[in-house]
Amino acid sequence: MSATDIAAFEGPDDETRAAAATQPARFTTGGRGKTLEMAAYGDWRAPALGGIDADLRVFEERTLDHELIIDVAGVDRLDTAGAMVLQRIMAACKGRSAASRFIGAKKEHAELLDQVFPHLAPCPIEPETRNAFLAMLDRLGLGVVDAYYASLHVLSFIGVTLASFGRMVANPRRFRVTSVVHHMEEAGLNAIPIIGLMSFLIGAVVAFMGAKILQQFNAAIFTVELVAIAVLREFGVLLSAILLAGRSGSAFTAQIGSMKIREEIDAMKSLGLDPVEALVVPRVVALVVMLPALAFIAAILGILGGLIVSWGALEISPALFLNRMQNLPNSINNFWAGLVKAPFFAFVIGIIGCFQGMQVAGSAESLGQRTTLAVVQSLFLVIVLDAFFAMFFLEINF
């Protein structure tokens, strides 16, 4: 590259232009004061630009905050790549005078330069520097607003689901028994092994930890009461709901979301079928029916785990264990307090799983996000409902 940094600029003469027709891409630079000038010659197509790209970028850095005039009269051949390079130099980021311009362009070259200009890569925008505390408050506020509108959408979905269920009750022929039984098997019967195993282990852990602590006060015998109250009242139904939310609630979201991506739900609507009636109601009904049964099995196996640990670690015989559990004040209330919560937990899990599936926006990324949201929201609402029931039963002394 030849350069006359502050020398007077002279445009190419006719002989130079004629010679450039057989020469590779090159350029000369010059300038007066705050005005810089560049003259381009030769073949400015993609294969010929690699050799001068580094020099062009150096010149581009020097032109910042200057007026720039680019003479393209000496350009013999120009393609999209060459036009983009010239426009990149002219539209350099960090500032350019409004008087900057191209001169000497042939008609076809001027048209190509105009066509590529709108497609230049935008200049990077410096991120706005904000106070960290204000940014935290901003995110908190946006989260509260999003939670408010999400709650309204979920309540609306609950209303639509209950309305569809009411229509099915009024007209039993619309009730999809086969679908309900299928989901009862998938969400309920197939979950028995994992729920049973986890409940058994939780009961054993509660008994073991309770025994270790109560032995310090010579009250190891009260491990029976601890296991009975904890498993019957809380752990049996709560553990079943948590496992069901992670296992079946996420499956509902994935199934309905996949149908949404493949536009099967739109096809159902075009056929006159109600997606809520066909997809949502059977799943919710299946969970409401099966979770109490799963909670009962979990409670029994949890007590069995506690019984075995008490027998092995504390030498409390099974007969003594069962006798103390039967003589526990309000023992039947503990059982019903756990079982009553199961249908409410199941309804929340089914509604959230199906709602998030309906919200999938047509991509695999959206499906993954909605599946995660289904599990998180289901677990959150289950814990909130459990806390509400605990306070309610405490107030009514149940």
Side-chain angles (χ1 to χ4, degrees):
M1 179 185 72
S2 61
T4 56
D5 291 340
I6 309 297
F9 173 79
E10 295 180 2
D13 55 21
D14 293 339
E15 293 181 0
T16 303
R17 293 173 183 172
T22 59
Q23 294 177 352
R26 62 187 181 88
F27 67 98
T28 60
T29 62
R32 300 184 184 93
K34 295 291 289 185
T35 301
L36 295 179
E37 299 165 332
M38 168 184 164
Y41 305 97
D43 184 359
W44 280 67
R45 294 180 298 176
L49 297 177
I52 62 171
D53 184 68
D55 293 331
L56 285 171
R57 292 185 182 275
V58 172
F59 175 70
E60 181 181 343
E61 291 292 330
R62 289 178 49 222
T63 65
L64 301 180
D65 300 320
H66 288 74
E67 177 184 343
L68 177 63
I69 299 175
I70 300 180
D71 187 350
V72 293
V75 175
D76 180 61
R77 296 181 178 181
L78 182 68
D79 64 0
T80 304
M84 283 292 246
V85 169
L86 292 171
Q87 285 287 18
R88 184 196 72 198
I89 298 172
M90 180 61 74
C93 300
K94 301 182 183 179
R96 172 73 72 226
S97 169
S100 300
R101 63 193 183 277
F102 290 100
I103 61 174
K106 301 175 183 177
K107 180 179 178 181
E108 59 273 18
H109 293 172
E111 291 177 354
L112 185 57
L113 289 169
D114 291 339
Q115 290 174 2
V116 302
F117 177 73
H119 303 286
L120 290 176
C123 298
I125 300 175
E126 292 293 333
E128 181 183 0
T129 302
R130 299 182 59 191
N131 181 276
F133 180 72
L134 294 179
M136 181 191 69
L137 290 180
D138 184 46
R139 291 189 63 183
L140 179 62
L142 291 174
V144 171
V145 172
D146 290 342
Y148 170 74
Y149 284 109
S151 301
L152 292 182
H153 292 157
V154 171
L155 288 175
S156 175
F157 189 75
I158 291 174
V160 171
T161 303
L162 292 177
S164 298
F165 181 73
R167 289 194 299 269
M168 296 170 70
V169 171
N171 187 4
R173 290 180 300 176
R174 301 171 67 94
F175 197 78
R176 299 172 181 270
V177 178
T178 303
S179 180
V180 172
V181 173
H182 168 74
H183 291 297
M184 287 174 62
E185 179 183 2
E186 289 291 325
L189 292 179
N190 293 345
I192 289 177
I194 181 64
I195 290 178
L197 176 61
M198 294 298 294
S199 299
F200 179 85
L201 295 176
I202 290 294
V205 169
V206 169
F208 183 77
M209 295 302 296
K212 284 292 184 182
I213 295 173
L214 293 174
Q215 277 180 340
Q216 301 176 15
F217 306 97
N218 294 323
I221 191 64
F222 291 104
T223 302
V224 177
E225 284 78 359
L226 174 64
V227 171
I229 294 175
V231 172
L232 289 178
R233 201 174 189 94
E234 291 295 335
F235 286 150
V237 63
L238 193 59
L239 184 64
S240 299
I242 290 173
L243 290 175
L244 209 63
R247 181 184 182 277
S248 301
S250 59
F252 290 171
T253 303
Q255 291 164 2
I256 297 177
S258 298
M259 296 179 68
K260 190 80 177 295
I261 292 175
R262 295 194 297 265
E263 300 182 352
E264 294 179 27
I265 293 180
D266 293 334
M268 292 177 63
K269 293 178 180 178
S270 66
L271 293 173
L273 299 175
D274 183 2
V276 175
E277 186 177 304
L279 301 176
V280 177
V281 174
R283 287 173 166 82
V284 174
V285 170
L287 284 189
V288 171
V289 171
M290 290 305 299
L291 186 54
L294 293 175
F296 174 78
I297 295 173
I300 297 301
L301 291 176
I303 290 175
L304 179 61
L307 185 150
I308 292 175
V309 169
S310 299
W311 189 12
L314 303 176
E315 297 183 355
I316 299 176
S317 66
L320 178 59
F321 187 99
L322 296 176
N323 184 58
R324 290 188 63 88
M325 192 176 71
Q326 289 175 356
N327 294 331
L328 184 68
N330 298 324
S331 59
I332 192 65
N333 288 350
N334 293 326
F335 172 75
W336 286 113
L339 213 58
V340 163
K341 296 182 286 188
F344 296 92
F345 291 171
F347 182 78
V348 166
I349 294 169
I351 286 291
I352 294 298
C354 295
F355 170 76
Q356 294 297 342
M358 289 291 188
Q359 300 302 307
V360 173
S363 67
E365 181 181 5
S366 175
L367 179 60
Q369 292 173 347
R370 291 296 175 176
T371 303
T372 303
L373 277 175
V375 176
V376 172
Q377 292 180 357
S378 298
L379 294 179
F380 173 77
L381 291 177
V382 164
I383 299 299
V384 170
L385 277 177
D386 187 64
F388 169 79
F389 276 108
M391 293 185 293
F392 176 73
F393 290 148
L394 183 64
E395 288 296 324
I396 65 175
N397 195 26
F398 184 73

